[in-house]
Amino acid sequence: EDQVTQSPEALRLQEGESSSLNCSYTVSGLRGLFWYRQDPGKGPEFLFTLYSAGEEKEKERLKATLTKKESFLHITAPKPEDSATYLCAVPDPSGSRLTFGEGTQLTVNP
Amino acid sequence: EPEVTQTPSHQVTQMGQEVILRCVPISNHLYFYWYRQILGQKVEFLVSFYNNEISEKSEIFDDQFSVERPDGSNFTLKIRSTKLEDSAMYFCASSRDRSTDTQYFGPGTRLTVL
C-alpha cells in the first residue's frame, strides 16, 4: 500500500525566512509526485508534478525537488500570502487514485 | 483558465436523507474523481470514473454512494442515506489522462449531516 508522510506538521516562519517541507513516500513504482496548495475551506490547488529522481520545478518562491525516497518543497523568502497547507500526493499504479499526505500547515508572519 | 466547478458550496441535510453533489469537470478532460476530506484529516480518494463507468473505488465508497455523468458536462455524487460520519468536504477532480496526468480539483462542497 502506498504511503505518504509529510513533515513537519506545522511550520511558522517570519517573512523572508527560507525553509523546506518534506514529503517521504513508499510506493511500488513511482509514477509521479504531486504538490498541491490548500487554503482553508478550499480545494487543493495544483503546484507541481515531478516524475523522476533529480527533477526540479520552480514557481515564484517555490521549488520542488525529488529523490528516490522523498521530495522537498523549498520556500525562498516567503511572504504572508504563502501561508497555506501544502499537500503532496502520489498516484497508485493504475493512476486512478491519489494518496495524499497529511500536509504541512505553513504560517508566514509579517 | 479552465477550472472544475462544484455546486452547492455548502449542503446541510438531515441524517437519512439523500444528497446529490454536482460537479462540472474541465471540458476536455476524460477522467473524473471524487475525494473527501473530513475536518482536520487528509484528503481521501472515493472513486474514479471513465467512459461512463467506475474505474476504481475505495473501501469508503460503499453501496450508499453512486456516481453518474447524466449529460456531457455534469458529474454527480449521490449519497442515498446520509450518516453523521458523511459530514466532510467533498472534492471533485478531473484529468485528461489517468496514468500520470495532473488531477485538477474543484473548490469543494461542504456537507453537514445533522
Side-chain angles (χ1 to χ4, degrees):
Chain A
E1 184 180 321
D2 296 346
Q3 290 192 339
V4 179
T5 304
Q6 292 188 244
S7 62
E9 288 183 16
L11 181 64
R12 284 187 173 273
L13 300 174
Q14 288 300 121
E15 185 170 3
E17 179 187 1
S18 302
S19 188
S20 297
L21 315 181
N22 177 263
C23 171
S24 298
Y25 59 88
T26 305
V27 298
S28 55
L30 186 65
R31 287 163 181 77
L33 185 140
F34 299 90
W35 281 99
Y36 290 86
R37 168 191 170 128
Q38 187 177 30
D39 292 300
K42 302 289 178 63
E45 177 189 341
F46 170 70
L47 293 173
F48 303 108
T49 309
L50 302 166
Y51 289 109
S52 56
E55 189 174 359
E56 298 183 353
K57 294 250 177 100
E58 282 189 69
K59 180 180 178 180
E60 296 182 1
R61 294 176 293 282
L62 300 176
K63 182 168 83 171
T65 61
L66 183 66
T67 71
K68 288 185 179 178
K69 293 188 176 179
E70 57 192 349
S71 178
F72 292 94
L73 186 65
H74 307 278
I75 303 176
T76 302
K79 298 182 178 182
E81 53 262 42
D82 295 321
S83 296
T85 297
Y86 291 85
L87 308 173
C88 71
V90 294
D92 72 341
S94 72
S96 285
R97 168 196 306 235
L98 286 179
T99 298
F100 280 84
E102 300 276 357
T104 293
Q105 186 176 2
L106 174 67
T107 305
V108 182
N109 296 314
Chain B
E1 184 176 321
E3 57 184 21
V4 176
T5 60
Q6 292 185 242
T7 55
S9 56
H10 191 189
Q11 173 93 45
V12 181
T13 190
Q14 295 291 325
M15 189 169 55
Q17 295 296 305
E18 174 183 288
V19 295
I20 298 176
L21 310 184
R22 301 179 193 280
C23 167
V24 179
I26 295 173
S27 62
N28 63 345
H29 286 187
L30 301 177
Y31 295 85
F32 315 117
Y33 314 85
W34 284 100
Y35 291 80
R36 79 172 186 190
Q37 186 175 32
I38 294 170
L39 187 63
Q41 298 186 23
K42 63 181 178 180
V43 178
E44 300 175 289
F45 170 81
L46 291 177
V47 65
S48 61
F49 190 87
Y50 169 71
N51 201 26
N52 281 321
E53 60 182 29
I54 290 174
S55 309
E56 188 175 347
K57 58 183 181 179
S58 73
E59 48 285 349
I60 303 169
F61 193 89
D62 61 22
D63 292 343
Q64 293 297 317
F65 291 89
S66 62
V67 290
E68 190 179 28
R69 187 148 164 87
D71 53 43
S73 59
N74 290 284
F75 179 49
T76 62
L77 174 69
K78 182 192 293 186
I79 309 175
R80 275 183 252 290
S81 177
T82 50
K83 309 185 196 97
L84 295 176
E85 53 266 36
D86 293 328
S87 295
M89 282 288 283
Y90 287 82
F91 297 111
C92 174
S94 70
S95 66
R96 275 182 313 180
D97 188 6
R98 180 176 61 180
S99 57
T100 56
D101 203 18
T102 300
Q103 294 183 24
Y104 293 91
F105 284 75
T109 292
R110 177 170 298 283
L111 177 64
T112 303
V113 183
L114 303 176

